[in-house]
């Protein structure tokens, strides 16, 4: 698997950051490459919640069915593909006080073997790195605004 990891400081509590990421409807807001993302189960949070999604990476659109495999409130959310493009994605939230946390965004993906897989890997790798970096920036900005709205309410 190929891993891309971005670590970012955020002006919000780990609790607020987790709450924002935990709402699946926010995912397309901070990951602009998502073209479609829908729940497949009534359960939309916690281990076992399952979603269908399509992401555009440069000239390629990739489809996956993912399931939440780790859900620790205030600490971590992780998903793993169960069908389609092989991907594992984890968000870790490190509390640094009521107004600060660190968010680790980790994406592991695997392309199929053979010549076509190698070509796909070379094609999408720079787009994956840019997408994770851009998504992390968007996430930090949006979580900060979300946190401020929560604390002012």
């Amino acid at each position: 698997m190929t891993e891309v990891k971005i670590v970012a400081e955020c002006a919000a509590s780990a609790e607020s950051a987790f709450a924002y990421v935990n709402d699946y409807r926010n995912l397309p807001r901070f990951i602009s490459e998502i073209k479609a993302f829908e729940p497949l189960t009534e359960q939309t949070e916690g281990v076992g919640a399952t979603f269908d999604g399509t992401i555009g990476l440069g000239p390629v659109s990739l489809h996956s069915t993912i399931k939440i495999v780790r859900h620790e409130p205030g600490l971590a959310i992780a998903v793993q593909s169960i069908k389609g493009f092989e991907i594992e994605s984890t968000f870790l939230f490190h509390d640094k006080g009521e107004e600060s946390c660190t968010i680790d965004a980790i994406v592991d993906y695997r392309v199929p073997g053979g010549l076509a897989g190698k070509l796909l890997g070379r094609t999408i790798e720079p787009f994956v790195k840019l997408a994770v970096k851009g998504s992390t920036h968007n996430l930090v900005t949006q979580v900060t605004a979300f946190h401020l709205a929560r604390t002012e309410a």
Side-chain angles (χ1 to χ4, degrees):
M1 290 191 103
T2 301
E3 179 182 284
V4 178
K5 180 178 181 180
I6 304 289
V7 177
E9 298 297 317
C10 184
S13 67
E15 178 186 347
S16 287
F18 178 90
Y20 190 81
V21 174
N22 192 48
D23 184 342
Y24 78 92
R25 296 168 296 187
N26 291 329
L27 205 62
R29 293 180 183 139
F30 66 87
I31 303 176
S32 57
E33 293 80 9
I34 290 182
K35 305 300 178 205
F37 194 74
E38 300 177 12
L40 294 177
T41 55
E42 283 188 40
Q43 176 187 351
T44 59
E45 63 180 59
V47 173
T50 306
F51 303 86
D52 212 31
T54 302
I55 191 164
L57 296 170
V60 178
S61 287
L62 302 168
H63 179 82
S64 291
T65 301
I66 61 169
K67 181 183 276 191
I68 296 177
V69 294
R70 182 177 177 191
H71 189 267
E72 299 173 54
L75 299 174
I77 297 176
V79 299
Q80 183 174 22
S81 61
I82 56 173
K83 182 179 174 187
F85 180 68
E86 288 187 58
I87 189 165
E88 294 176 21
S89 183
T90 304
F91 290 96
L92 302 173
F93 309 95
H94 307 282
D95 196 12
K96 297 174 88 179
E98 291 182 21
E99 302 297 323
S100 181
C101 72
T102 302
I103 301 173
D104 297 358
I106 306 160
V107 176
D108 286 317
Y109 65 94
R110 178 173 300 160
V111 294
L115 189 58
K118 286 181 183 179
L119 181 60
L120 175 63
R122 285 192 199 120
T123 301
I124 69 169
E125 184 173 3
F127 294 104
V128 170
K129 288 179 180 177
L130 287 171
V132 174
K133 187 175 182 178
S135 297
T136 304
H137 171 76
N138 293 343
L139 176 61
V140 167
T141 302
Q142 292 171 25
V143 164
T144 300
F146 175 77
H147 177 72
L148 286 173
R150 283 179 76 181
T151 56
E152 291 174 355

